[in-house]
Amino acid sequence: MSSYAITGASKGIGREFVRQLAANTANTVLAIVRDPESPDISEFAFKYSNVHLIKGDATDPKSLLEAASAAAAITGGTLDVLIHNSNAIDLASTPLNPSQLPFDAEGLRVIFDKPFSTAIYGGIWTTNAFLPLIEKGAQKKIVHISSAMAESQLIKKSGVSYAVPYSVAKAGMNVQVAKYAVELAPKGIKVLALSPGWVDTWEGEKPPEVLQAHEAMLKQFQAVQPDLKGQISSEESVRKCLQVIERLDAETSGLLLSQHGNATRWL
Ligand SMILES: NC(=O)c1ccc[n+]([C@@H]2O[C@H](COP(=O)([O-])OP(=O)(O)OC[C@H]3O[C@@H](n4cnc5c(N)ncnc54)[C@H](OP(=O)(O)O)[C@@H]3O)[C@@H](O)[C@H]2O)c1
């Protein structure tokens, strides 16, 4: 029997982690969401007796301590695997290249705030809040869901010069993961930054501008991987990510790996 906690579990990849992990009834799955009352997630969780909805916001340290305490009450104080998946971005500034970013302190801070709060500060608060449980767990694994958009070779080969705050935040996340891996290795704790691939998590019909942006991105990504057909499903991404998490050991701890389990193929 294993226990898993996932932040940002209300939709997309986070909710798919919950779904696939809950399919094994021996697992205890702690879905950390900002709004457990939301019908989308409460009706979904109702279907699984081994899923526990816990209120927690990755950008709010106090709420994470409360979430960890609620998790401990369910599991008896332990946790095997923590998956920090929450993410937020400023959509309007995403198309901007670095030289187009606001040339004023407040304007720049505003567009970096969401990705930094979820990936960087949220990564630290989530990890530190749940660390006492992980120390007592059997698997001792911490995974931060990162992105290949922070990988320099992929940026160069694809020519993706936009999405600067998001990519910078994920690059920072990768460094934090390496630091945690070094610090926690003597305790047998493994820490991984994991890129889930290019995943279709859009809910409902995509508006024309989104379809257009995806077409343009596909062409850029095909410069890196010519056989790429498009986005993969959450089901495929999470199935592969769970295999990588299963194999995580002291040797791979501290790295950024793709859903393929390597640092060479990102898409
Ligand atoms: N989709 C892709 O192609 C792709 C590619 C590379 C990496 N990733 C990474 O994979 C992870 C999941 O991506 P996704 O596309 O499924 O979902 P997403 O839309 O990026 O959101 C993930 C979750 O983050 C939480 N969240 C959103 N805004 C927040 C805010 N302002 N403050 C705190 N939490 C907030 C929400 O969960 P709650 O409401 O439950 O708190 C949401 O369900 C992210 O870390 C993303 O960067 C995705």
Side-chain angles (χ1 to χ4, degrees), residues 72-89:
I74 293 163
T75 62
T78 76
L79 181 66
D80 290 314
V81 183
L82 170 66
I83 302 174
H84 172 55
N85 165 78
S86 297
N87 178 63
I89 54 165

Side-chain angles (χ1 to χ4, degrees), residues 9 67-68 89 113 125 128 178 207 256:
I89 54 165
D113 182 56
W125 292 325
N128 292 355
L256 167 69

Side-chain angles (χ1 to χ4, degrees), residues 8-11 13 34 57 85 87 145-146 166 170 196-197 199 201:
S10 63
K11 60 186 175 83
I13 293 169
R34 285 175 298 165
D57 182 337
N85 165 78
N87 178 63
I145 302 300
S146 185
Y166 173 73
K170 293 295 193 184
V199 190
T201 55

Side-chain angles (χ1 to χ4, degrees), residues 150-196:
E151 211 280 320
S152 303
Q153 287 296 332
L154 183 121
I155 294 169
K156 278 183 74 177
K157 284 187 193 155
S158 64
V160 174
S161 51
Y162 48 88
V164 179
Y166 173 73
S167 309
V168 170
K170 293 295 193 184
M173 170 184 263
N174 299 343
V175 174
Q176 272 181 190
V177 160
K179 300 280 183 191
Y180 269 120
V182 171
E183 182 199 351
L184 300 175
K187 293 180 171 174
I189 298 172
K190 287 81 62 184
V191 194
L192 182 72
L194 179 56
S195 169

Side-chain angles (χ1 to χ4, degrees), residues 6-15 17 31-35 41 54 56-60 84-89 114 117-119 144-149 166 170 173 194-202 214 217 231-232 234 237:
I6 302 108
T7 66
S10 63
K11 60 186 175 83
I13 293 169
R15 190 170 61 193
F17 268 117
I32 318 284
V33 296
R34 285 175 298 165
D35 179 13
I41 187 66
I54 296 179
D57 182 337
T59 64
D60 174 1
H84 172 55
N85 165 78
S86 297
N87 178 63
I89 54 165
K114 282 184 179 176
S117 296
T118 45
H144 289 204
I145 302 300
S146 185
S147 173
M149 295 279 271
Y166 173 73
K170 293 295 193 184
M173 170 184 263
L194 179 56
S195 169
W198 190 32
V199 190
D200 188 357
T201 55
W202 191 271
H214 281 180
M217 270 180 104
Q231 291 181 299
I232 57 172
S234 294
S237 168

